[in-house]
Amino acid sequence: MLKQKYLLISLFAIILLILSGCTPAKQLMKKAPADAHFSDNPTIFLHGFGGNASSMQPLINAIERAKLGTAVETIHVRANDTLATTGTLTAKANNPLINIVFDDSTNGNPAHNARILRVIIEKLHHQYHFKKFNVVAHSMGNSTLAEYLLNNSNNSNLPTLNKYVAIASISNSFIGGSGSTNASRSPLLADGQPTIKSTIFNHFSKLHTTFPKAAHVLNIFGNLNDGSESDGRVPINSAQALKYLTSRSASYQQQEFTGSNAQHSKLKRNPQVEKTVMHFLFED
């Protein structure tokens, strides 16, 4: 009789726990969308200038909540360029998510970061033998990837870029940058080329003929609707110039988000952006 009493108490406690919201029943039952695609291809997240481990984590968390991917590793790049990794990629075909964190995130040197990115990709490739990878980058993280591709896009010994999400890409200029005023107001030609080219754009222009042909690109940018024609940091025209740089890609699409949640730093945490990114990466 006593045993049955404890059994009933335990069962009642479990029911209360579920109803209390600590572990919602809907969350326990939630499954991935029927049209979700799963593979071994890792998705690498690159934060921007001044970023940290928390910068891209909300987006990673959103993907996990939607059951579309699994956070498997966080790789910290120390100030002395050594790597510190937490977590391990073990399961197969689970859309692994890897957060790369540059502890010295204000060095403002995408070329340096790109060299480290190559080391990381080589390390991951040696460990897990994947053939393709995705990238989600914010702000200067896009410049890091661009630098990497300038030097490695045709290297057959490395995995190839599969899907690329650019959020607030500085493709021509940024507000407050040296000599960027005219470039930030530069209208674009039909092919996406700015009529006034910044040093940044000229440096990356080689990508127009070398960008990986098999890659699919989603370009996301913000518009505060405050007359600045920008997200407060990156002009719309600058972000849209990515179309020219990635014109060799298998596909290119762009989407503008507006309002206060389209501000430069908030953009990567915008719920609508999260949904758009997830659909492009894992449901499209």
Side-chain angles (χ1 to χ4, degrees):
M1 189 72 180
L2 188 61
K3 185 176 181 180
Q4 288 180 334
K5 180 180 177 181
Y6 283 121
L7 183 62
L8 287 172
I9 291 172
S10 298
L11 182 60
F12 183 66
I14 292 171
I15 292 171
L16 281 178
L17 185 63
I18 292 174
L19 294 177
S20 69
C22 296
T23 309
K26 288 183 179 179
Q27 181 175 319
L28 289 173
M29 297 172 63
K30 187 171 183 178
K31 296 180 180 179
D35 57 353
H37 305 301
F38 291 89
S39 75
D40 298 340
N41 301 336
T43 299
I44 292 171
F45 293 81
L46 298 171
H47 63 70
F49 184 87
N52 54 42
S54 300
S55 297
M56 305 300 280
Q57 196 61 50
L59 181 51
I60 293 172
N61 293 344
I63 294 171
E64 283 206 296
R65 285 196 303 271
K67 308 298 182 185
L68 287 169
T70 303
V72 294
E73 286 190 2
T74 297
I75 301 175
H76 280 267
V77 181
R78 301 303 189 194
N80 62 359
D81 292 343
T82 58
L83 305 179
T85 302
T86 57
T88 301
L89 195 161
T90 54
K92 292 292 184 179
N94 65 343
N95 291 342
L97 313 174
I98 299 174
N99 194 13
I100 297 179
V101 182
F102 290 88
D103 289 352
D104 179 16
S105 63
T106 59
N107 64 52
N109 188 347
H112 171 267
N113 292 349
R115 289 192 292 271
I116 305 302
L117 178 59
R118 171 169 174 159
V119 171
I120 291 171
I121 290 176
E122 286 180 323
K123 174 179 177 287
L124 293 171
H125 186 221
H126 177 73
Q127 287 177 309
Y128 307 122
H129 311 292
F130 56 89
K131 295 180 180 179
K132 299 177 181 180
F133 67 102
N134 306 322
V135 171
V136 179
H138 176 251
S139 193
M140 197 179 79
N142 293 286
S143 300
T144 295
L145 178 65
E147 288 282 358
Y148 169 85
L149 293 174
L150 280 177
N151 297 302
N152 302 289
S153 60
N154 296 314
N155 188 335
S156 60
N157 294 318
L158 293 170
T160 58
L161 181 63
N162 179 46
K163 291 187 175 183
Y164 167 36
V165 179
I167 303 175
S169 171
I170 305 169
S171 296
N172 190 39
S173 64
F174 61 95
I175 295 172
S178 177
S180 68
T181 303
N182 291 331
S184 68
R185 298 171 182 166
S186 169
L188 302 177
L189 302 175
D191 62 359
Q193 213 174 162
T195 52
I196 301 174
K197 301 176 178 65
S198 69
T199 302
I200 294 171
F201 182 86
N202 286 329
H203 176 66
F204 290 134
S205 61
K206 184 182 175 183
L207 287 174
H208 178 66
T209 58
T210 62
F211 191 84
K213 287 184 177 181
H216 299 268
V217 179
L218 170 61
N219 185 12
I220 290 174
F221 48 90
N223 180 359
L224 292 175
N225 280 338
D226 62 352
S228 69
E229 295 296 311
S230 76
D231 64 8
R233 187 63 169 165
V234 179
I236 294 171
N237 284 345
S238 176
Q240 289 178 322
L242 186 69
K243 176 182 178 181
Y244 179 82
L245 299 178
T246 63
S247 59
R248 289 177 85 243
S249 61
S251 69
Y252 171 89
Q253 55 185 291
Q254 61 183 34
Q255 189 161 343
E256 175 182 295
F257 290 84
T258 60
S260 60
N261 283 336
Q263 186 271 340
H264 185 70
S265 295
K266 293 180 180 178
L267 193 59
K268 61 184 181 295
R269 301 191 302 271
N270 183 318
Q272 295 306 312
V273 169
E274 292 174 347
K275 290 179 182 178
T276 301
V277 170
M278 288 188 281
H279 177 72
F280 174 76
L281 289 175
F282 306 121
E283 298 176 84
D284 195 6

